[in-house]
Amino acid sequence: MTGLGAISLGTLVLAALLAGVSKTAVSGVGALSVALFAAVLPAKESTGALLPLLLVGDALAVRAYRRHANWHALLRLLPSVAAGILLGVAFVARADDTAVRRTIGALLLTMVLHHLWQRVRERRVPSPHLPSPRPPSPHPRALLFGLVAGFATMVANAGGPAMSLYLLTSGFSVPGFLGTGAWFFLIVNAVKLPFSAGLGLIAPGALALDAALAPAVIAGAALGRACVQRIDQALFARLVLAFTALSSLNLLI
């Protein structure tokens, strides 16, 4: 912390605040936290420093939305997510940061474009209500999203966009979206913790920084919970898609 200037510290505080907002409101905002941390800290070190803060946000989100989780959807995803995490561990141990970021960005942007193409093809009429949740497919769709989410979250804490698209295209309501996502990331980020430590991504100095930034995550989570009650579901869906697209482009740069 002593080696960081005022602008850098301010950037990290903003990133922590957005991480809290992403956990209790618009999940796509979380990718901005990833980008801001990577702008201040070295790429791999930034993922390890951000992970404990994400766990703080996950715990707050579960506390707020625990009753709205769809465990059927979670259980379908977890096996492929676990495989994605293991692939991510192997990749982080060997990969170049730029190649990793661009691969994830390309995958996520492809998913966004595919979803938009489906909406145009089906000529859906905009509605203030999302459709009733469709049963998550156990076949290629769930497998693909699970693998990408697991791989991306291990490599760059960037699993949020893939998970958001999966939940969005499954037609969850806002509470169901947030509750299922909250439990998903609490479980997944807890599983990632020993792997990240084993890879040397979590340094003792980063834990001190996390302790200082944790209040900003808590404040962001409270802000997000207050705001989400004022967002209708159609706007929520558009925001998720917009932030996912922006996050994908950021990873590609």
Side-chain angles (χ1 to χ4, degrees), residues 150-246:
F151 180 78
T153 193
M154 185 65 235
V155 171
N157 289 320
M163 185 60 179
S164 295
L165 281 175
Y166 178 76
L167 295 176
L168 184 65
T169 55
S170 296
F172 285 95
S173 65
V174 173
F177 181 108
L178 293 170
T180 305
W183 277 109
F184 175 86
F185 282 108
L186 180 63
I187 294 168
V188 168
N189 285 332
V191 169
K192 285 165 48 184
L193 198 58
F195 288 114
S196 296
L199 289 167
L201 301 179
I202 302 177
L207 294 177
L209 177 63
D210 290 334
L213 293 174
V217 177
I218 296 170
L223 177 62
R225 193 173 181 188
C227 291
V228 78
Q229 298 173 4
R230 297 173 173 82
I231 301 176
D232 71 30
Q233 294 190 19
L235 175 60
F236 182 85
R238 289 194 292 271
L239 288 173
V240 168
L241 283 173
F243 279 114
T244 301
L246 288 172

Side-chain angles (χ1 to χ4, degrees), residues 46-196:
S46 72
T47 64
L50 183 56
L51 181 56
L53 294 177
L54 295 177
L55 278 166
V56 172
D58 293 329
L60 294 170
V62 164
R63 182 180 177 186
Y65 302 115
R66 62 188 179 277
R67 297 176 183 172
H68 301 286
N70 185 316
W71 286 97
H72 184 64
L74 283 176
L75 292 175
R76 285 194 183 280
L77 277 173
L78 288 178
S80 59
V81 171
I85 289 174
L86 293 177
L87 287 173
V89 170
F91 203 64
V92 168
R94 298 174 176 81
D96 169 81
D97 283 348
T98 301
V100 171
R101 286 171 57 88
R102 289 178 177 171
T103 299
I104 295 170
L107 286 170
L108 295 176
L109 189 58
T110 299
M111 290 180 178
V112 172
L113 293 175
H114 176 70
H115 176 63
L116 292 175
W117 174 75
Q118 280 189 319
R119 293 184 66 178
V120 171
R121 186 187 63 176
E122 296 170 7
R123 297 182 180 181
R124 294 177 180 174
V125 179
S127 168
H129 301 288
L130 291 176
S132 299
R134 296 185 292 272
S137 170
H139 299 299
R141 181 173 168 274
L143 176 63
L144 173 63
F145 278 97
L147 280 172
V148 172
F151 180 78
T153 193
M154 185 65 235
V155 171
N157 289 320
M163 185 60 179
S164 295
L165 281 175
Y166 178 76
L167 295 176
L168 184 65
T169 55
S170 296
F172 285 95
S173 65
V174 173
F177 181 108
L178 293 170
T180 305
W183 277 109
F184 175 86
F185 282 108
L186 180 63
I187 294 168
V188 168
N189 285 332
V191 169
K192 285 165 48 184
L193 198 58
F195 288 114
S196 296

